[in-house]
Amino acid sequence: MDNSVTKPTALIQQLLTTAPLHDPAVARPGPDAAGFTSTSRLGMFCHYDQVHFLTLPEDRDELALLPIGLVGDPFADRVHVVRGLDFWVGDRSQDNHPSNPTINVVLDDLLTDIAYGTYTATDNDRNFARRLLAAGRPLISGPCLLLGRDETTDTSTGLPETFLDWLHRTAVQAVADLVQTTGTADGDDAGK
């Protein structure tokens, strides 16, 4: 099985550096890393303070085994927060692993944007996100794999365009906020 790691765009990587405990030693993307779509069969693996974008295997059997191998639990469970996107976690992760700060930043921002209309979603998805947020911000423990899901065949696929577009927009905003904060902290006008 080819689990080659594909690097995200520079803006997505910059978003992820704003997550608590991010490891700055994670390799930066090369110049040819931009432009992923769901047809690229892309998955996103978050292991505490590291994020890897994976090119998914073409073989359905290999793809079905990927969550089990990556989350380190023979009973991987998928968590749904929006149609077409699965968060794969270990069945025993909540009890056996610490909280995963990187994926929790992504999850919190995603739920908020779904609930308030910034993320393209159905009314049912928005209502579900609002209920999750009202019950308390959910937290994921342990490693997490994000994959797309084909709703008609109930099988894993590459990340959906909607999610990748959202992640890119969120990255752009996080970078802008970081520039504003850094410029203000240094006493300079952030526009300089």
Side-chain angles (χ1 to χ4, degrees):
M1 169 169 57
D2 179 21
N3 285 337
S4 60
V5 177
T6 307
K7 302 295 181 210
T9 65
L11 291 176
I12 291 173
Q13 188 65 34
Q14 287 175 359
L15 164 69
L16 298 170
T17 62
T18 65
L21 305 176
H22 178 78
D23 181 3
V26 172
R28 297 293 184 237
D32 59 343
F36 292 116
T37 66
S38 56
T39 58
S40 71
R41 303 200 40 85
L42 189 67
M44 184 172 135
F45 179 63
C46 299
H47 190 269
Y48 302 104
D49 60 351
Q50 297 179 3
V51 174
H52 303 279
F53 286 78
L54 308 170
T55 301
L56 302 178
E58 293 289 333
D59 183 89
R60 289 183 113 168
D61 293 335
E62 287 182 41
L63 182 57
L65 293 174
L66 190 62
I68 293 168
L70 287 176
V71 300
D73 190 322
F75 303 104
D77 290 329
R78 55 186 179 179
V79 177
H80 307 287
V81 296
V82 65
R83 192 170 320 281
L85 184 65
D86 289 331
F87 286 68
W88 285 91
V89 296
D91 183 52
R92 299 180 190 119
S93 289
Q94 205 65 18
D95 297 328
N96 297 323
H97 294 281
S99 179
N100 183 328
T102 303
I103 196 60
N104 286 322
V105 167
V106 172
L107 178 60
D108 189 58
D109 287 350
L110 180 63
L111 284 172
T112 301
D113 287 353
I114 291 168
Y116 297 105
T118 309
Y119 185 94
T120 305
T122 66
D123 288 340
N124 287 340
D125 288 334
R126 287 192 201 300
N127 290 333
F128 180 67
R130 287 180 188 128
R131 285 194 308 271
L132 282 175
L133 292 171
R137 306 243 178 219
L139 294 176
I140 291 177
S141 295
C144 180
L145 174 65
L146 272 73
L147 296 174
R149 181 164 62 116
D150 182 329
E151 299 290 330
T152 58
T153 61
D154 194 34
T155 56
S156 294
T157 65
L159 292 169
E161 285 287 334
T162 305
F163 176 76
L164 293 172
D165 290 344
W166 170 82
L167 190 60
H168 180 78
R169 285 192 322 271
T170 302
V172 169
Q173 186 60 52
V175 170
D177 292 346
L178 186 60
V179 168
Q180 179 67 34
T181 302
T182 303
T184 304
D186 291 341
D188 293 334
D189 180 5
K192 291 184 179 182

